[in-house]
Amino acid sequence: MLRRRPPLLLGVAAAALGVALTTLILFALRDVAPVVSLGVVYLVVVLAVASVWNAWLGLGTALASALAFNFFHIPPTGRFTITGGENWVALIVFFGAAVLASSLTELARRRTIEAEERRQEADLSAEMARLLLRGGRLEEALPAVAERLARALDAPSASIVARAEPGTFPLREGPRQIGTLTVDAPEPVLRRIQVRIVPSLEALLAAALERDALMNDAVETAALRRSDVIKTALLRSVSHDLRSPLTAILTSAEALKLAPDERVELAEAITEEATRLSRLIDNLLDLSRLEAGAAEARPEWSSIEEVLTAAIDDVPSGDFKLSVDTDLPPVKADAAQLERAFANLLENAQRHSGGHPVSVRARDVGGRILVRVVDRGPGVPKAHQERIFEPFYRSGSRGSGLGLAIVRGFVEANGGRVWVESLPDQATSFVVELPVPVSSDPTGEPLVPNTQNDREERSP
């Protein structure tokens, strides 16, 4: 902020007091130096007044000093009369020096003010650049830039918008108006803004708009690239996973024509492969809804034991051992989505269990329901544990890469989360955590979380 000048009346009083004090001091210095050479002492007051206020007050102080010097110290004293050539020369030289000193002081003061304004404007430009180009949303940065500009220029208010509308200063990039700056300030401040602030603000706003356009292009490009990746993965999945059951169905259908004694076995194969094909199509549809954000949960009070039992029934070929704690509180979630999620999780565990039974355990741990699905397969390497939940990602050659992505999508849609715990060549445990709302069940009884297992190991 620039330092304000003190009031003019205070400057007049300071000049009068300074001239009076200097006049008194010269009486004491008469015995030290000749009177005609003592006028230079008045220059101290002239320089001080001119530097603090302005050149005009400095010139007035110089005139007052010359009159006081003449009246009190240049013979004949007590009147405004000068005798002797040396006294005229002394007074003229003094007054000229005072005028010159006052002018130089005012020039130095203006240069100082201008340098301070330039520094202030440079700081303002740097701050505006930081706010506009740091990467946030332009609509959120513009009010902060306007507030910083108003504070720097002592303006009552300022506003900036990135569109063409009536205002104090139109902001342009070439012939195109890209924004509007509106400032409530005196005319000198407005002229300064027009000459020194508006050009840099126009350049910064144009750069910010171009950056936003580039970021939008980058986001769109990334989305397109992601879409291409998903399409490629989908084609690979479809080409491999759909071909297998279709081949089995076609082969069995052809064999039915030739082997009537084996029709029951072939019919079972057709049913099994058609069911597998139907499940794959269901997974593709579920994933498409999740990717599109259309898989909105419809929560209602549900029993986890019933959800897990229904999910086990959806995987008839598996061997599952279900263990559910007694008095397990219900959860408020979409039962159909949770059933689909657990069915995919169970099918994945059964596929990697190596023929061993899959353990399913549900318990209340500190007000949360934890469901663990444990298989005795080869385990999941550390590097794959997070990626296995990505669509179409396969850690091996088996599976379509859809099931675990659907598991995560449906669990998170219902306010829960899922993760995997595994070590190489050891059992793999998939953990689903679901919140238990502190509310009431359909009968009106309060749900109080069971805390008897609070010491259980929490999520990683």
Side-chain angles (χ1 to χ4, degrees):
M1 301 295 291
L2 294 177
R3 184 166 55 90
R4 296 180 180 273
R5 294 181 180 181
L8 184 60
L9 287 178
L10 181 60
V12 173
L17 181 61
V19 171
L21 290 176
T22 304
T23 301
L24 293 175
I25 292 173
L26 291 189
F27 282 110
L29 296 178
R30 279 183 162 185
D31 297 334
V32 178
V35 172
V36 293
S37 64
L38 293 176
V40 70
V41 180
Y42 284 101
L43 292 179
V44 176
V45 179
V46 174
L47 291 173
V49 172
S51 62
V52 175
W53 281 271
N54 54 51
W56 292 108
L57 190 55
L59 293 176
T61 306
L63 180 60
S65 299
L67 294 174
F69 188 37
N70 177 22
F71 189 83
F72 291 103
H73 296 290
I74 295 179
T77 58
R79 53 184 174 170
F80 294 105
T81 303
I82 302 175
T83 60
E86 71 277 8
N87 293 333
W88 276 104
V89 171
L91 186 60
I92 292 172
V93 169
F94 163 74
F95 187 73
V99 171
L100 180 61
S102 178
S103 301
L104 292 176
T105 302
E106 176 65 12
L107 179 61
R109 185 180 186 280
R110 288 182 179 178
R111 293 286 177 84
T112 301
I113 292 175
E114 184 177 355
E116 178 64 16
E117 288 179 346
R118 295 290 187 183
R119 183 198 64 77
Q120 186 185 76
E121 291 158 7
D123 291 344
L124 178 60
S125 296
E127 182 70 8
M128 290 192 301
R130 184 185 68 82
L131 292 172
L132 290 173
L133 304 178
R134 63 183 174 181
R137 296 182 59 189
L138 184 60
E139 294 79 5
E140 298 174 354
L142 289 177
V145 172
E147 190 274 334
R148 178 68 177 85
L149 186 149
R151 189 171 69 250
L153 301 177
D154 289 331
S157 64
S159 66
I160 305 172
V161 293
R163 58 182 177 272
E165 63 179 32
T168 312
F169 303 104
L171 305 175
R172 301 183 180 278
E173 183 185 20
R176 181 172 65 99
Q177 183 174 350
I178 58 176
T180 305
L181 169 63
T182 302
V183 183
D184 179 15
E187 187 62 29
V189 176
L190 293 179
R191 287 197 300 269
R192 179 184 171 195
I193 293 174
Q194 176 69 50
V195 175
R196 299 181 182 177
I197 305 299
V198 168
S200 62
L201 182 57
E202 288 176 332
L204 290 172
L205 183 58
L209 290 172
E210 184 178 0
R211 181 213 60 196
D212 282 1
L214 291 175
M215 288 182 62
N216 291 335
D217 290 343
V219 170
E220 185 176 353
T221 301
L224 291 174
R225 186 180 298 111
R226 171 68 175 169
S227 176
D228 288 340
V229 170
I230 292 178
K231 289 178 181 177
T232 302
L234 177 59
L235 289 175
R236 290 177 179 173
S237 177
V238 168
S239 64
H240 179 271
D241 293 298
L242 294 183
R243 185 184 295 114
S244 296
L246 285 175
T247 301
I249 291 172
L250 292 174
T251 302
S252 299
E254 289 294 329
L256 284 174
K257 302 175 182 178
L258 303 176
D261 297 337
E262 300 177 0
R263 287 183 179 181
V264 174
E265 182 180 351
L266 292 174
E268 290 177 353
I270 291 174
T271 302
E272 180 181 350
E273 295 301 328
T275 302
R276 177 183 168 193
L277 184 60
S278 176
R279 181 177 293 278
L280 180 58
I281 293 174
D282 288 341
N283 283 340
L284 288 171
L285 293 175
D286 288 339
L287 183 65
S288 67
R289 288 198 298 269
L290 289 169
E291 292 286 335
E296 184 177 353
R298 298 179 180 178
E300 57 184 19
W301 292 107
S302 306
S303 165
I304 285 296
E305 183 173 8
E306 293 178 0
V307 170
L308 290 173
T309 302
I312 290 174
D313 292 340
D314 289 342
V315 191
S317 61
D319 184 4
F320 303 102
K321 293 183 177 180
L322 177 62
S323 173
V324 179
D325 283 1
T326 57
D327 299 328
L328 195 67
V331 296
K332 197 165 187 179
D334 190 319
Q337 290 186 355
L338 289 184
E339 181 183 337
R340 293 284 297 133
F342 283 121
N344 280 327
L345 202 58
L346 295 173
E347 185 179 15
N348 177 80
Q350 183 267 333
R351 187 167 55 247
H352 294 89
S353 65
H356 298 286
V358 174
S359 171
V360 183
R361 175 75 184 275
R363 62 192 316 179
D364 180 7
V365 179
R368 303 167 303 147
I369 290 181
L370 292 186
V371 179
R372 290 182 177 271
V373 178
V374 183
D375 64 62
R376 295 171 62 183
V380 180
K382 188 75 173 177
H384 295 264
Q385 289 184 11
E386 186 63 27
R387 298 197 63 191
I388 58 175
F389 293 100
E390 297 177 2
F392 304 108
Y393 181 80
R394 307 184 193 186
S395 58
S397 60
R398 302 166 67 183
S400 62
L402 300 176
L404 293 180
I406 294 170
V407 171
R408 169 171 282 183
F410 280 152
V411 168
E412 291 181 351
N414 286 274
R417 61 193 188 105
V418 60
W419 67 90
V420 62
E421 299 171 354
S422 179
L423 293 174
D425 300 324
Q426 296 187 27
T428 299
S429 176
F430 284 89
V431 186
V432 175
E433 177 189 86
L434 297 170
V436 179
V438 180
S439 182
S440 60
D441 64 14
T443 65
E445 294 296 325
L447 294 176
V448 180
N450 181 10
T451 58
Q452 66 179 354
N453 296 315
D454 279 354
R455 292 187 301 271
E456 282 285 321
E457 179 185 358
R458 298 296 178 95
S459 61

Short mmCIF file of all heavy atoms in Angstrom, two decimals, residues 367-393:
data_model
loop_
_atom_site.label_atom_id
_atom_site.label_comp_id
_atom_site.label_asym_id
_atom_site.label_seq_id
_atom_site.Cartn_x
_atom_site.Cartn_y
_atom_site.Cartn_z
N GLY A 367 -20.00 -52.30 15.44
CA GLY A 367 -20.99 -51.52 14.73
C GLY A 367 -20.88 -51.59 13.23
O GLY A 367 -21.54 -50.81 12.52
N ARG A 368 -20.07 -52.49 12.70
CA ARG A 368 -19.97 -52.71 11.26
C ARG A 368 -20.14 -54.21 11.00
O ARG A 368 -19.73 -55.04 11.80
CB ARG A 368 -18.60 -52.27 10.73
CG ARG A 368 -18.24 -50.83 11.01
CD ARG A 368 -16.77 -50.59 10.74
NE ARG A 368 -15.94 -51.49 11.54
CZ ARG A 368 -14.78 -51.98 11.14
NH1 ARG A 368 -14.32 -51.69 9.94
NH2 ARG A 368 -14.09 -52.77 11.94
N ILE A 369 -20.74 -54.49 9.87
CA ILE A 369 -20.87 -55.90 9.47
C ILE A 369 -19.74 -56.23 8.51
O ILE A 369 -19.58 -55.56 7.48
CB ILE A 369 -22.24 -56.16 8.82
CG1 ILE A 369 -23.34 -56.07 9.87
CG2 ILE A 369 -22.26 -57.53 8.16
CD1 ILE A 369 -24.72 -56.34 9.34
N LEU A 370 -18.95 -57.24 8.89
CA LEU A 370 -17.86 -57.72 8.03
C LEU A 370 -18.22 -59.09 7.51
O LEU A 370 -18.55 -60.00 8.29
CB LEU A 370 -16.54 -57.78 8.80
CG LEU A 370 -15.91 -56.45 9.25
CD1 LEU A 370 -14.55 -56.70 9.85
CD2 LEU A 370 -15.79 -55.48 8.08
N VAL A 371 -18.15 -59.24 6.19
CA VAL A 371 -18.37 -60.54 5.55
C VAL A 371 -17.07 -60.96 4.91
O VAL A 371 -16.53 -60.24 4.06
CB VAL A 371 -19.49 -60.47 4.50
CG1 VAL A 371 -19.68 -61.83 3.84
CG2 VAL A 371 -20.79 -59.98 5.11
N ARG A 372 -16.54 -62.11 5.33
CA ARG A 372 -15.28 -62.62 4.78
C ARG A 372 -15.57 -63.85 3.92
O ARG A 372 -16.24 -64.78 4.37
CB ARG A 372 -14.29 -62.98 5.88
CG ARG A 372 -13.73 -61.79 6.63
CD ARG A 372 -12.72 -62.20 7.68
NE ARG A 372 -12.13 -61.05 8.33
CZ ARG A 372 -11.05 -60.42 7.91
NH1 ARG A 372 -10.41 -60.89 6.83
NH2 ARG A 372 -10.57 -59.38 8.55
N VAL A 373 -15.05 -63.83 2.71
CA VAL A 373 -15.15 -64.97 1.79
C VAL A 373 -13.72 -65.47 1.59
O VAL A 373 -12.89 -64.79 0.99
CB VAL A 373 -15.79 -64.56 0.46
CG1 VAL A 373 -15.83 -65.74 -0.49
CG2 VAL A 373 -17.18 -63.99 0.69
N VAL A 374 -13.45 -66.67 2.09
CA VAL A 374 -12.08 -67.19 2.12
C VAL A 374 -11.99 -68.45 1.28
O VAL A 374 -12.77 -69.41 1.50
CB VAL A 374 -11.63 -67.49 3.58
CG1 VAL A 374 -10.17 -67.95 3.60
CG2 VAL A 374 -11.83 -66.27 4.46
N ASP A 375 -11.04 -68.45 0.34
CA ASP A 375 -10.79 -69.67 -0.45
C ASP A 375 -9.39 -70.18 -0.12
O ASP A 375 -8.59 -69.49 0.50
CB ASP A 375 -10.96 -69.40 -1.94
CG ASP A 375 -9.93 -68.41 -2.47
OD1 ASP A 375 -8.71 -68.70 -2.40
OD2 ASP A 375 -10.34 -67.32 -2.96
N ARG A 376 -9.10 -71.36 -0.55
CA ARG A 376 -7.78 -71.97 -0.29
C ARG A 376 -6.99 -72.08 -1.59
O ARG A 376 -6.30 -73.06 -1.82
CB ARG A 376 -7.97 -73.34 0.37
CG ARG A 376 -8.62 -73.25 1.76
CD ARG A 376 -9.00 -74.61 2.30
NE ARG A 376 -7.83 -75.47 2.47
CZ ARG A 376 -7.87 -76.73 2.87
NH1 ARG A 376 -9.05 -77.29 3.13
NH2 ARG A 376 -6.77 -77.43 2.99
N GLY A 377 -7.11 -71.04 -2.41
CA GLY A 377 -6.42 -71.04 -3.69
C GLY A 377 -4.98 -70.58 -3.57
O GLY A 377 -4.41 -70.50 -2.47
N PRO A 378 -4.36 -70.24 -4.70
CA PRO A 378 -2.94 -69.90 -4.72
C PRO A 378 -2.63 -68.51 -4.19
O PRO A 378 -1.46 -68.14 -4.05
CB PRO A 378 -2.58 -69.98 -6.21
CG PRO A 378 -3.87 -69.67 -6.92
CD PRO A 378 -4.95 -70.26 -6.06
N GLY A 379 -3.63 -67.70 -3.87
CA GLY A 379 -3.38 -66.36 -3.37
C GLY A 379 -3.27 -65.34 -4.49
O GLY A 379 -3.16 -65.68 -5.67
N VAL A 380 -3.31 -64.06 -4.10
CA VAL A 380 -3.22 -62.95 -5.05
C VAL A 380 -1.94 -62.18 -4.76
O VAL A 380 -1.73 -61.71 -3.64
CB VAL A 380 -4.44 -62.01 -4.92
CG1 VAL A 380 -4.32 -60.86 -5.92
CG2 VAL A 380 -5.73 -62.79 -5.14
N PRO A 381 -1.04 -62.05 -5.74
CA PRO A 381 0.20 -61.29 -5.50
C PRO A 381 -0.10 -59.86 -5.08
O PRO A 381 -1.13 -59.28 -5.44
CB PRO A 381 0.91 -61.34 -6.85
CG PRO A 381 0.33 -62.52 -7.56
CD PRO A 381 -1.09 -62.62 -7.09
N LYS A 382 0.80 -59.27 -4.31
CA LYS A 382 0.62 -57.91 -3.80
C LYS A 382 0.39 -56.93 -4.94
O LYS A 382 -0.46 -56.03 -4.82
CB LYS A 382 1.87 -57.51 -3.01
CG LYS A 382 1.74 -56.19 -2.28
CD LYS A 382 0.88 -56.32 -1.05
CE LYS A 382 0.89 -55.05 -0.22
NZ LYS A 382 0.00 -55.13 0.94
N ALA A 383 1.10 -57.05 -6.03
CA ALA A 383 1.00 -56.10 -7.14
C ALA A 383 -0.36 -56.16 -7.81
O ALA A 383 -0.75 -55.21 -8.50
CB ALA A 383 2.10 -56.36 -8.16
N HIS A 384 -1.11 -57.26 -7.63
CA HIS A 384 -2.40 -57.42 -8.31
C HIS A 384 -3.59 -57.13 -7.41
O HIS A 384 -4.72 -57.08 -7.89
CB HIS A 384 -2.54 -58.86 -8.84
CG HIS A 384 -1.54 -59.22 -9.90
ND1 HIS A 384 -1.83 -59.15 -11.24
CD2 HIS A 384 -0.25 -59.63 -9.82
CE1 HIS A 384 -0.76 -59.53 -11.93
NE2 HIS A 384 0.21 -59.83 -11.09
N GLN A 385 -3.35 -56.92 -6.11
CA GLN A 385 -4.46 -56.88 -5.17
C GLN A 385 -5.39 -55.69 -5.38
O GLN A 385 -6.57 -55.78 -5.06
CB GLN A 385 -3.93 -56.89 -3.73
CG GLN A 385 -3.33 -58.23 -3.34
CD GLN A 385 -2.89 -58.28 -1.90
OE1 GLN A 385 -3.19 -57.38 -1.11
NE2 GLN A 385 -2.14 -59.32 -1.54
N GLU A 386 -4.88 -54.59 -5.87
CA GLU A 386 -5.76 -53.45 -6.13
C GLU A 386 -6.33 -53.50 -7.54
O GLU A 386 -7.49 -53.12 -7.77
CB GLU A 386 -4.99 -52.13 -5.92
CG GLU A 386 -5.85 -50.88 -6.04
CD GLU A 386 -6.95 -50.81 -4.98
OE1 GLU A 386 -6.80 -51.38 -3.89
OE2 GLU A 386 -7.99 -50.18 -5.27
N ARG A 387 -5.56 -53.99 -8.48
CA ARG A 387 -5.99 -53.98 -9.88
C ARG A 387 -7.05 -55.02 -10.19
O ARG A 387 -7.75 -54.92 -11.20
CB ARG A 387 -4.78 -54.17 -10.79
CG ARG A 387 -3.72 -53.08 -10.69
CD ARG A 387 -2.80 -53.13 -11.87
NE ARG A 387 -3.52 -52.88 -13.11
CZ ARG A 387 -3.00 -53.07 -14.32
NH1 ARG A 387 -1.75 -53.54 -14.44
NH2 ARG A 387 -3.70 -52.82 -15.41
N ILE A 388 -7.19 -56.03 -9.35
CA ILE A 388 -8.16 -57.07 -9.66
C ILE A 388 -9.59 -56.54 -9.62
O ILE A 388 -10.51 -57.19 -10.13
CB ILE A 388 -8.03 -58.28 -8.70
CG1 ILE A 388 -8.20 -57.84 -7.26
CG2 ILE A 388 -6.70 -58.98 -8.90
CD1 ILE A 388 -8.20 -58.99 -6.28
N PHE A 389 -9.80 -55.36 -9.01
CA PHE A 389 -11.13 -54.78 -8.97
C PHE A 389 -11.40 -53.87 -10.19
O PHE A 389 -12.47 -53.28 -10.27
CB PHE A 389 -11.32 -53.97 -7.69
CG PHE A 389 -11.34 -54.82 -6.45
CD1 PHE A 389 -10.21 -54.94 -5.65
CD2 PHE A 389 -12.48 -55.52 -6.08
CE1 PHE A 389 -10.22 -55.71 -4.50
CE2 PHE A 389 -12.50 -56.29 -4.94
CZ PHE A 389 -11.37 -56.40 -4.15
N GLU A 390 -10.43 -53.76 -11.09
CA GLU A 390 -10.64 -52.96 -12.29
C GLU A 390 -11.38 -53.78 -13.34
O GLU A 390 -11.18 -54.99 -13.45
CB GLU A 390 -9.29 -52.50 -12.87
CG GLU A 390 -8.51 -51.59 -11.94
CD GLU A 390 -7.16 -51.23 -12.52
OE1 GLU A 390 -6.86 -51.66 -13.66
OE2 GLU A 390 -6.40 -50.51 -11.84
N PRO A 391 -12.23 -53.13 -14.14
CA PRO A 391 -12.97 -53.87 -15.17
C PRO A 391 -12.02 -54.52 -16.18
O PRO A 391 -11.04 -53.91 -16.61
CB PRO A 391 -13.83 -52.79 -15.84
CG PRO A 391 -13.94 -51.70 -14.83
CD PRO A 391 -12.64 -51.72 -14.07
N PHE A 392 -12.30 -55.77 -16.53
CA PHE A 392 -11.60 -56.53 -17.56
C PHE A 392 -10.15 -56.88 -17.18
O PHE A 392 -9.40 -57.35 -18.02
CB PHE A 392 -11.60 -55.79 -18.91
CG PHE A 392 -12.97 -55.44 -19.39
CD1 PHE A 392 -13.40 -54.13 -19.36
CD2 PHE A 392 -13.83 -56.41 -19.85
CE1 PHE A 392 -14.67 -53.79 -19.80
CE2 PHE A 392 -15.10 -56.09 -20.29
CZ PHE A 392 -15.52 -54.78 -20.25
N TYR A 393 -9.77 -56.63 -15.92
CA TYR A 393 -8.41 -57.00 -15.52
C TYR A 393 -8.41 -58.44 -15.03
O TYR A 393 -9.23 -58.83 -14.20
CB TYR A 393 -7.89 -56.08 -14.42
CG TYR A 393 -6.48 -56.42 -14.00
CD1 TYR A 393 -5.40 -55.99 -14.76
CD2 TYR A 393 -6.24 -57.19 -12.87
CE1 TYR A 393 -4.10 -56.31 -14.39
CE2 TYR A 393 -4.95 -57.52 -12.50
CZ TYR A 393 -3.89 -57.08 -13.26
OH TYR A 393 -2.61 -57.40 -12.91
#
